[in-house]
Amino acid sequence: MSLTDRLGARSIAAGGVGGVAAYVLGYLFVYITQRSGVEEQLEAFNAIADLFGGDPIPAWQAIGWLFYNAHFVATEVPQPLGGVRVENFVASADGLSYLYVVPPLLLVIAGVATARVAVAETPTDGAAAGALVTAGYLPAAIAGAFLFRYAVGDATVTPDLVTAVLLAGAAYPLVFGAIGGAAASLLGGRE
């Protein structure tokens, strides 16, 4: 029996759901823990933007930048005289480095759950099943990269699209989902 036959549509669906859940829960964790700090940081900018008739930056979008920064995806920030500066707000702020643990932890948990649904018996099968969380995480990461774009005139503040897709959307769920899936098969406990 091939690996595809053993994993099946149910496992792929579980991986997709697990990936979306890991993405949403990761964003919600960052939102809940960082909302007040982000709103405070945005007050001055939003007051100036309001004064000149611009749109204020919504906190939920800026929190999205932090969420992508927790995946080591830089935020592209346009400069007043042209050009773009790349920024990782998690790396440049004191006390936020714990956010780097959130996406991997949630993806490992999603990988464990997916491997359990797949009834993976070997670490190889567990890793393959766990990696299926990419089926949900990748589309969510791509959608989020566009959702968290903030227009500033003709420029935008946005997560870097290439690393949002390749690193946050593909590499993270493949690696950490596979680790969780392999661990699930080693932990046993299935009936």
Side-chain angles (χ1 to χ4, degrees), residues 35-50:
R35 182 173 161 225
S36 64
V38 167
E39 286 175 343
E40 185 178 307
Q41 292 290 322
L42 291 174
E43 281 179 9
F45 176 85
N46 286 343
I48 293 170
D50 189 42

Side-chain angles (χ1 to χ4, degrees), residues 91-188:
S92 62
D94 291 332
L96 294 183
S97 58
Y98 71 92
L99 293 177
Y100 289 124
V101 177
V102 174
L105 178 63
L106 290 171
L107 286 164
V108 166
I109 292 168
V112 167
T114 303
R116 293 292 179 144
V117 169
V119 192
E121 295 177 3
T122 67
T124 302
D125 286 353
L132 292 173
V133 300
T134 307
Y137 209 82
L138 178 60
I142 293 169
F146 288 99
L147 186 65
F148 299 129
R149 296 171 69 93
Y150 172 77
V152 180
D154 293 336
T156 58
V157 179
T158 181
D160 176 65
L161 185 58
V162 173
T163 54
V165 172
L166 297 178
L167 185 59
Y172 262 69
L174 280 171
V175 170
F176 295 110
I179 289 169
S185 69
L186 292 173
L187 295 174

Side-chain angles (χ1 to χ4, degrees), residues 5-120:
D5 293 337
R6 288 192 308 265
L7 292 178
R10 182 174 163 209
S11 301
I12 294 168
V17 169
V20 170
Y23 182 90
V24 170
L25 289 173
Y27 174 79
L28 287 175
F29 179 85
V30 175
Y31 184 87
I32 290 166
T33 61
Q34 301 305 311
R35 182 173 161 225
S36 64
V38 167
E39 286 175 343
E40 185 178 307
Q41 292 290 322
L42 291 174
E43 281 179 9
F45 176 85
N46 286 343
I48 293 170
D50 189 42
L51 182 66
F52 290 103
D55 293 328
I57 299 174
W60 66 267
Q61 275 186 318
I63 290 166
W65 306 334
L66 283 176
F67 179 59
Y68 277 85
N69 291 165
H71 293 82
F72 294 97
V73 173
T75 302
E76 296 177 347
V77 181
Q79 296 303 290
L81 300 175
V84 174
R85 180 182 87 237
V86 292
E87 181 76 39
N88 184 325
F89 300 110
V90 171
S92 62
D94 291 332
L96 294 183
S97 58
Y98 71 92
L99 293 177
Y100 289 124
V101 177
V102 174
L105 178 63
L106 290 171
L107 286 164
V108 166
I109 292 168
V112 167
T114 303
R116 293 292 179 144
V117 169
V119 192

